[in-house]
Amino acid sequence: MFDAFRRRYLDVLGSIYIYNEHRGYTSIDRVLEAVLAHCPDDAGFIAAIRKHRADERKHYVMFRRWFELRGHMPLSVDRACGHIDRFVEIAFGSTIDDLDTQAVIASEALFERLCRVIMLTEMRGMKQVDTLLKSALVRSDPVLVKIFRIVERDEPSHWQPYRDWLVRTGRPQAKRRERLIDFWIHRELLFLKLPLLFLNPWLPRATGWADAKEGEASRPVIAASPR
């Protein structure tokens, strides 16, 4: 019974992560568009966002390979389980797909808010990975541990560029409302959505990979020794 519980928990956890990693790197394409227009001369900031995008793609591929090794597809989860999806919806009143990139480019306030939303999302992700690496359930899967070790190594470089931009331009790093939104989304996922997914025996599996139309990318060696 415990083994069935462990497998189901890791299945749900992996499904949430692979959704968020895919959502992350595909959304960063629009962030990069905004930064290129808003800060065209900030080569360091632009390079950091390109690295962020590449890392998110790498993480997605690692989770995809983990599911392939398990012999089944991820559970079918949607933007209700996406931290950045929920954050953007609450902070901007729009889904990521419907967010007006040109409006963000044109508005100092909206661009600043976007940087804070991404920064807080990535900081939350870093804290969550630290917690998961202490979990006996996660540590029971050596491959998953190695994936999370790589994610742990990459995470600081995902939020620091946004923080650094906010600091050097004299803008607040986070507003109280934004911190409360981040806290609420995390608790909602942890204590409501994850248990509901876990307990739903009718939850279908995805019928195809989210990146199927993007073509095959080289896959990192997930069995490499983590730092």
Side-chain angles (χ1 to χ4, degrees), residues 149 152-153 225-227:
R149 287 291 183 199
E152 178 187 44
R153 181 193 66 202
S225 298
R227 288 184 179 179

PDB file of all heavy atoms in Angstrom, residues 149 152-153 225-227:
ATOM      1  N   ARG A 149      18.311  18.019  -8.077  1.00  0.00           N
ATOM      2  CA  ARG A 149      19.618  18.601  -7.776  1.00  0.00           C
ATOM      3  C   ARG A 149      20.050  19.560  -8.890  1.00  0.00           C
ATOM      4  O   ARG A 149      20.629  20.621  -8.630  1.00  0.00           O
ATOM      5  CB  ARG A 149      20.674  17.507  -7.605  1.00  0.00           C
ATOM      6  CG  ARG A 149      20.559  16.704  -6.325  1.00  0.00           C
ATOM      7  CD  ARG A 149      20.899  17.531  -5.121  1.00  0.00           C
ATOM      8  NE  ARG A 149      20.863  16.719  -3.896  1.00  0.00           N
ATOM      9  CZ  ARG A 149      20.763  17.231  -2.669  1.00  0.00           C
ATOM     10  NH1 ARG A 149      20.697  18.551  -2.510  1.00  0.00           N
ATOM     11  NH2 ARG A 149      20.735  16.439  -1.627  1.00  0.00           N
ATOM     12  N   GLU A 152      17.897  22.593  -8.548  1.00  0.00           N
ATOM     13  CA  GLU A 152      18.397  23.366  -7.406  1.00  0.00           C
ATOM     14  C   GLU A 152      19.609  24.205  -7.799  1.00  0.00           C
ATOM     15  O   GLU A 152      19.722  25.378  -7.407  1.00  0.00           O
ATOM     16  CB  GLU A 152      18.772  22.408  -6.269  1.00  0.00           C
ATOM     17  CG  GLU A 152      19.354  23.096  -5.038  1.00  0.00           C
ATOM     18  CD  GLU A 152      19.867  22.094  -4.024  1.00  0.00           C
ATOM     19  OE1 GLU A 152      20.537  21.119  -4.433  1.00  0.00           O
ATOM     20  OE2 GLU A 152      19.610  22.287  -2.823  1.00  0.00           O
ATOM     21  N   ARG A 153      20.503  23.632  -8.564  1.00  0.00           N
ATOM     22  CA  ARG A 153      21.702  24.335  -9.004  1.00  0.00           C
ATOM     23  C   ARG A 153      21.361  25.508  -9.921  1.00  0.00           C
ATOM     24  O   ARG A 153      21.972  26.574  -9.855  1.00  0.00           O
ATOM     25  CB  ARG A 153      22.616  23.356  -9.748  1.00  0.00           C
ATOM     26  CG  ARG A 153      23.931  23.952 -10.258  1.00  0.00           C
ATOM     27  CD  ARG A 153      24.587  23.008 -11.235  1.00  0.00           C
ATOM     28  NE  ARG A 153      23.801  22.860 -12.458  1.00  0.00           N
ATOM     29  CZ  ARG A 153      23.893  21.821 -13.290  1.00  0.00           C
ATOM     30  NH1 ARG A 153      24.716  20.820 -13.028  1.00  0.00           N
ATOM     31  NH2 ARG A 153      23.160  21.783 -14.388  1.00  0.00           N
ATOM     32  N   SER A 225      26.231  12.864 -12.052  1.00  0.00           N
ATOM     33  CA  SER A 225      26.313  13.155 -10.617  1.00  0.00           C
ATOM     34  C   SER A 225      26.012  14.610 -10.376  1.00  0.00           C
ATOM     35  O   SER A 225      26.614  15.491 -10.990  1.00  0.00           O
ATOM     36  CB  SER A 225      27.714  12.834 -10.091  1.00  0.00           C
ATOM     37  OG  SER A 225      27.991  11.470 -10.239  1.00  0.00           O
ATOM     38  N   PRO A 226      25.047  14.929  -9.482  1.00  0.00           N
ATOM     39  CA  PRO A 226      24.729  16.313  -9.197  1.00  0.00           C
ATOM     40  C   PRO A 226      25.816  16.943  -8.347  1.00  0.00           C
ATOM     41  O   PRO A 226      26.549  16.267  -7.674  1.00  0.00           O
ATOM     42  CB  PRO A 226      23.413  16.200  -8.401  1.00  0.00           C
ATOM     43  CG  PRO A 226      23.490  14.879  -7.740  1.00  0.00           C
ATOM     44  CD  PRO A 226      24.239  13.979  -8.702  1.00  0.00           C
ATOM     45  N   ARG A 227      25.855  18.262  -8.355  1.00  0.00           N
ATOM     46  CA  ARG A 227      26.787  18.957  -7.491  1.00  0.00           C
ATOM     47  C   ARG A 227      26.359  18.844  -6.049  1.00  0.00           C
ATOM     48  O   ARG A 227      25.205  18.866  -5.748  1.00  0.00           O
ATOM     49  CB  ARG A 227      26.861  20.443  -7.872  1.00  0.00           C
ATOM     50  CG  ARG A 227      27.569  20.699  -9.176  1.00  0.00           C
ATOM     51  CD  ARG A 227      27.678  22.174  -9.410  1.00  0.00           C
ATOM     52  NE  ARG A 227      28.374  22.456 -10.656  1.00  0.00           N
ATOM     53  CZ  ARG A 227      28.581  23.667 -11.114  1.00  0.00           C
ATOM     54  NH1 ARG A 227      28.164  24.724 -10.444  1.00  0.00           N
ATOM     55  NH2 ARG A 227      29.208  23.880 -12.257  1.00  0.00           N
TER      56      ARG A 227
END
